[in-house]
Structures are given as C-alpha cells and as structure tokens.
Amino acid sequence: MKIHAMALTVALAILTHIAEMTPAFAADDACASVRAMTDKFNATPRIRLVGTNSLEAIHFTTLYVDTKQWWHGDSKPWHVEPRQYSKTNDLENCEHLGSETIDGVQTEIWSYDHLSYQQVDYWKIWISVDTGLPVKSHF
C-alpha cells in the first residue's frame, strides 16, 4: 500500500508539473521570426512594400499609411482601400532560407504558407535585420 501511495504521489507531482507547462510546438518556434515581423508590420503606421505576385506574373508596390493602403501592379493605376492587417495565427511551414543584402540592407530570407479563405499562399520574404520589417516579398 505504501509503494502504491508513493507511486501515486510521484505520478501526480509529475503530471501537475506537466499540466502547468505551456505547450511548445515546433511550428511555433519555426515561425517566431515571421510572426514577430508580422506584428511589427501591422503596428508600423507607414510602410512601403515592393513585391512580385508569381501567379499573375506582376510586380507590385503597396504603400500602407495609417488605416489605408495604396497599391498598383506594374504600370497600372493606383488603387486605395482600407488597410488589411495580417494575422499571425495564419502562418505555417516557416523555413529560414538564408540571408542576402539588398541595396545595402542586410536581410534574412524566409518562406512560409499563409492560410487565407479557401486557399494557401506561398510566401518568400526578405526581412531587414536592423528593423525587423519586410524589404521584399514574392508570393
């Protein structure tokens, strides 16, 4: 009886400790840098992003100013709409691809999947080492 009581006490102590721990998932760790960039991007009131949409084979520029965003592809006219903020819980399969210097800015290159309504967008993004903000993107 003493052995069972002692075993039960040890088991409860271990299970209590495990229950108090915050679960750590590999995907969370792998996407931490991209999530941090996304949070900073959403909080930055003014930002310019230049990128490429591989599916439509266009180059685009997007300007984010406070709660609005202006964008255009190639030489087409500018469009304005309410600013769209990215959700950090929609990011998966993050992978660090290396580093590159773009116009004197040292960047870290990441790829990830962005889950959106009825589709998954594949992104490749260059994040500034100094600012933590995106410099260039392909999706």
Side-chain angles (χ1 to χ4, degrees):
M1 180 84 165
K2 264 186 160 180
I3 294 174
H4 294 298
M6 187 153 206
L8 182 59
T9 303
V10 170
L12 285 174
I14 291 170
L15 291 175
T16 301
H17 176 71
I18 291 171
E20 291 173 351
M21 293 172 51
T22 303
F25 301 102
D28 289 342
D29 294 337
C31 290
S33 294
V34 178
R35 284 190 178 97
M37 177 276 304
T38 302
D39 287 338
K40 190 166 188 179
F41 182 87
N42 285 338
T44 302
R46 291 185 165 88
I47 194 165
R48 177 178 173 256
L49 185 61
V50 176
T52 303
N53 179 330
S54 303
L55 184 62
E56 297 175 18
I58 62 168
H59 301 284
F60 66 89
T61 301
T62 305
L63 304 173
Y64 298 88
V65 180
D66 300 324
T67 60
K68 296 208 184 276
Q69 66 186 49
W70 287 261
W71 61 274
H72 76 97
D74 292 323
S75 59
K76 297 194 167 79
W78 286 90
H79 303 276
V80 63
E81 58 189 32
R83 183 171 180 169
Q84 298 173 12
Y85 296 92
S86 297
K87 297 176 186 173
T88 58
N89 60 342
D90 293 344
L91 308 177
E92 290 186 351
N93 304 320
C94 299
E95 182 180 354
H96 184 252
L97 302 177
S99 59
E100 183 179 340
T101 301
I102 300 172
D103 296 330
V105 177
Q106 186 179 0
T107 67
E108 294 297 323
I109 309 165
W110 288 85
S111 68
Y112 62 93
D113 295 333
H114 179 258
L115 309 175
S116 57
Y117 183 70
Q118 295 185 338
Q119 70 183 36
V120 176
D121 296 322
Y122 170 80
W123 283 75
K124 183 176 179 184
I125 196 157
W126 288 253
I127 301 172
S128 168
V129 171
D130 291 334
T131 66
L133 291 168
V135 173
K136 174 179 164 181
S137 68
H138 290 204
F139 71 95

